Amino acid sequence: RLYRNAARFQVPSNSIAKICNLQIPQHAAKIKTLPYPLTWNPLSILDFQKKEKVVLYAGRIHPEKGIKPLVEAWCQLSDTIVRDWTLRLIGPYKEEQGGGGIKFLNALKRNIEQSKNKVEFYDPIFDRNLLKNEMNKAQLFIYPSLAKEGETFGLAVLEAMSCGCVPIVSALPCFLDFISNRVEGFCLKQSANENLSKILKEELVEILTYKKSNINKMAQASLTRAKDYELSNVAQKYIADFSSLL
């Protein structure tokens, strides 16, 4: 009843557009992918040499975000691979804030205590400027989400890219709109039967030993790609679509 009266179905990613096509094939011509805009302006100039050896995650500390296999993988890395790298996790663990709860957090910390590899837990940062500062400092941004039905776009990943972070993301299709594997970042390859912890470990071994010049090049490509999602650019897409309807 509601769909019948709609002139347009605006969706944030091509993966959601495909789902809508399956659900309402009779309205396929009305479906339009219009992305979310960045919440801040991307860096104008990237000085990758000033970035720290930090692998950053920013999001909910919840099982569906792939945090457990990420921590397991990190703790299994050898000292020669990790060296002076730090895994930094920023986000809420409390259930009322969307996290996995104190039991989940404590289980992660017990895993970490058995390893010498450096892991830092930060409280959630709700100030956008402070969060941007953390992304500006990190070389890599990791987002191994398992939420097949919960990720519609991946704005946190795009925000990190706008700060010159090289993204490492799971195989969810929403990330493919702005990340080409080994160009702007790393897309994990995973089938339903594969262990994410094992995959993450293998990928991190390769990524952390990647040539710095290659990572720098990917960071530049990542920043360039993110600029397509500046507010002014996305606004023009919306205006053009509204105009087409008029």
Side-chain angles (χ1 to χ4, degrees), residues 33-221:
T33 300
L34 292 170
Y36 297 143
L38 286 166
T39 57
W40 55 54
N41 292 327
L43 290 176
S44 54
I45 300 175
L46 172 61
D47 188 350
F48 194 77
Q49 302 302 322
K50 290 185 178 180
K51 281 182 168 284
E52 301 172 5
K53 283 191 170 182
V54 169
V55 179
L56 177 66
Y57 166 85
R60 293 184 295 118
I61 308 300
H62 190 282
E64 72 175 9
K65 294 297 184 179
I67 301 297
K68 184 175 181 290
L70 170 59
V71 168
E72 289 173 349
W74 184 265
C75 291
Q76 292 171 18
L77 293 173
S78 68
D79 182 62
T80 56
I81 297 296
V82 176
R83 295 180 184 175
D84 49 351
W85 283 91
T86 299
L87 174 62
R88 184 171 296 157
L89 307 172
I90 301 176
Y93 70 87
K94 296 179 180 178
E95 292 183 41
E96 60 268 27
Q97 293 178 323
I102 188 64
K103 289 184 178 180
F104 179 63
L105 179 66
N106 288 338
L108 294 175
K109 289 184 174 180
R110 283 194 297 272
N111 198 325
I112 292 165
E113 289 169 359
Q114 299 171 14
S115 171
K116 294 181 180 179
N117 298 342
K118 191 173 181 181
V119 182
E120 296 176 347
F121 279 98
Y122 282 22
D123 289 333
I125 298 176
F126 299 110
D127 184 298
R128 305 300 295 169
N129 290 326
L130 293 179
L131 179 59
K132 187 178 182 181
N133 286 339
E134 291 297 328
M135 291 179 171
N136 282 335
K137 290 188 290 186
Q139 288 190 21
L140 302 169
F141 184 83
I142 193 161
Y143 204 82
S145 178
L146 299 169
K148 293 181 179 180
E149 297 180 357
E151 302 290 352
T152 59
F153 182 70
L155 184 58
V157 177
L158 192 63
E159 287 175 339
M161 292 169 63
S162 78
C163 296
C165 289
V166 176
I168 307 167
V169 297
S170 57
L172 298 184
C174 63
F175 301 126
L176 300 180
D177 282 10
F178 47 83
I179 301 174
S180 298
N181 193 32
R182 299 296 197 278
V183 179
E184 294 91 0
F186 299 91
C187 300
L188 304 176
K189 294 180 180 179
Q190 181 194 14
S191 68
N193 298 323
E194 287 183 296
N195 182 290
L196 180 57
S197 177
K198 179 176 179 291
I199 293 170
L200 279 166
K201 181 183 177 182
E202 292 172 353
E203 289 285 341
L204 285 169
V205 167
E206 179 184 353
I207 293 167
L208 297 183
T209 55
Y210 226 54
K211 285 185 179 180
K212 193 169 184 178
S213 58
N214 290 343
I215 293 292
N216 192 343
K217 185 178 179 181
M218 292 176 73
Q220 294 287 350

